[in-house]
Amino acid sequence: MNVFGVDIGGSGIKGAPVDLERGDLAQERFKVLTPHPATPDAVADGVTEVVSHFGWSGPVGITFPGVVTGGVTRTAANVDKGWVDVDASKLLGERLGGLPVTILNDADAAGVAEMTFGAGRGRKGTVMLLTFGTGIGSAVFIDGRLVPNTELGHLELHGNDAEKHASTKVKDDEGLSWHHWAHRVQKYLEHVEMLFSPELFIIGGGVSRKADKFVPLIKGIRAEIVPAELQNNAGIVGAAMAAADR
């Protein structure tokens, strides 16, 4: 069965139909740039463009880079603050012509996909997926069960949100070498490990494609560290899974 997934990120909005038997995209994904400012109406335009590109007419799962409860977006760290307390399911459903819409946190979606089809498949204990991109997203699983909306990119590190110190955006903005950035990621993982003692860290986001450039440079972490197998498609797959579950 194919279901459509859309992943709203700080830099891009991408989507595709997903083959839920294989846990992979059924067609090549289509992407548009995230508008700036990323207001609800502007982002809804982008989502509509992505879905319309495929002529899709069924259920749609959509990720959001913030806390989502009951289809309402509660935080908006890397998009316009106008998203706070918006009924995103209603807004996006109306803009998509009444299609059934399911919305959830972006890292949670990626985590569910990785736990089902990727690097976390069959793993018990505490598993954490961390997505590095415009910010840092997190998904925490206890014996395969998701603890939703953890948002651990906002843990304090060196007096600021951790994602202001160790995200991929910071690496690019500050022109950090892989070695320098890996050291920052290591400090962040040390902090998270102290608090949660996971057995496994899964590193997701677009940078997971280049895991060989920085993961071997991270030292002193007890937990196993692996790249996401679905890489930057994990959010799309997880969004489609959520829509299918609904």
Side-chain angles (χ1 to χ4, degrees), residues 3-8 12-20 22-31 50 54 61-63 104-119 129 131-132 202-209 227-242:
V3 177
F4 204 92
V6 178
D7 190 12
I8 298 172
I13 301 169
K14 53 189 180 290
V18 175
D19 182 335
L20 293 179
R22 296 188 298 114
D24 199 2
L25 307 190
Q27 294 177 245
E28 185 176 349
R29 72 188 191 187
F30 179 70
K31 178 178 179 178
V50 170
F54 293 89
I62 303 173
T63 78
L104 72 162
N105 174 268
D106 56 350
D108 286 351
V112 168
E114 283 293 326
M115 292 298 289
T116 306
F117 296 108
L129 173 120
T131 59
F132 290 83
I202 302 172
I203 305 299
V207 76
S208 60
R209 294 191 302 267
E229 291 182 10
L230 279 66
Q231 298 183 348
N232 212 22
N233 289 335
I236 296 174
V237 173
M241 292 173 66

Side-chain angles (χ1 to χ4, degrees), residues 38-40 73 76 79-86:
T39 63
T73 49
V79 289
D80 189 83
K81 301 305 180 190
W83 278 100
V84 175
D85 293 332
V86 166

Side-chain angles (χ1 to χ4, degrees), residues 70-152:
V72 176
T73 49
R74 300 297 187 186
T75 66
N78 292 303
V79 289
D80 189 83
K81 301 305 180 190
W83 278 100
V84 175
D85 293 332
V86 166
D87 188 339
S89 288
K90 180 181 178 182
L91 169 67
L92 294 168
E94 289 175 349
R95 294 294 287 274
L96 292 174
L99 296 182
V101 165
T102 303
I103 187 163
L104 72 162
N105 174 268
D106 56 350
D108 286 351
V112 168
E114 283 293 326
M115 292 298 289
T116 306
F117 296 108
R121 185 173 46 221
R123 296 295 293 257
K124 299 296 184 182
T126 303
V127 176
M128 304 185 74
L129 173 120
L130 299 169
T131 59
F132 290 83
T134 305
I136 299 175
S138 62
V140 179
F141 296 85
I142 311 296
D143 289 333
R145 294 176 63 90
L146 173 68
V147 181
N149 292 310
T150 48
E151 292 289 279
L152 298 180

Side-chain angles (χ1 to χ4, degrees), residues 121-208:
R121 185 173 46 221
R123 296 295 293 257
K124 299 296 184 182
T126 303
V127 176
M128 304 185 74
L129 173 120
L130 299 169
T131 59
F132 290 83
T134 305
I136 299 175
S138 62
V140 179
F141 296 85
I142 311 296
D143 289 333
R145 294 176 63 90
L146 173 68
V147 181
N149 292 310
T150 48
E151 292 289 279
L152 298 180
H154 302 300
L155 287 173
E156 184 177 322
L157 189 65
H158 302 306
N160 208 337
D161 274 12
E163 68 179 21
K164 304 297 185 185
H165 183 73
S167 68
T168 308
K169 182 178 187 297
V170 169
K171 178 190 183 302
D172 294 340
D173 287 350
E174 297 185 16
L176 302 178
S177 67
W178 286 108
H179 189 276
H180 191 168
W181 185 66
H183 180 70
R184 291 194 181 191
V185 173
Q186 175 180 310
K187 291 298 182 184
Y188 172 62
L189 294 182
E190 287 173 354
H191 189 51
V192 174
E193 186 169 62
M194 176 191 69
L195 293 171
F196 295 95
S197 301
E199 283 81 13
L200 176 65
F201 282 119
I202 302 172
I203 305 299
V207 76
S208 60

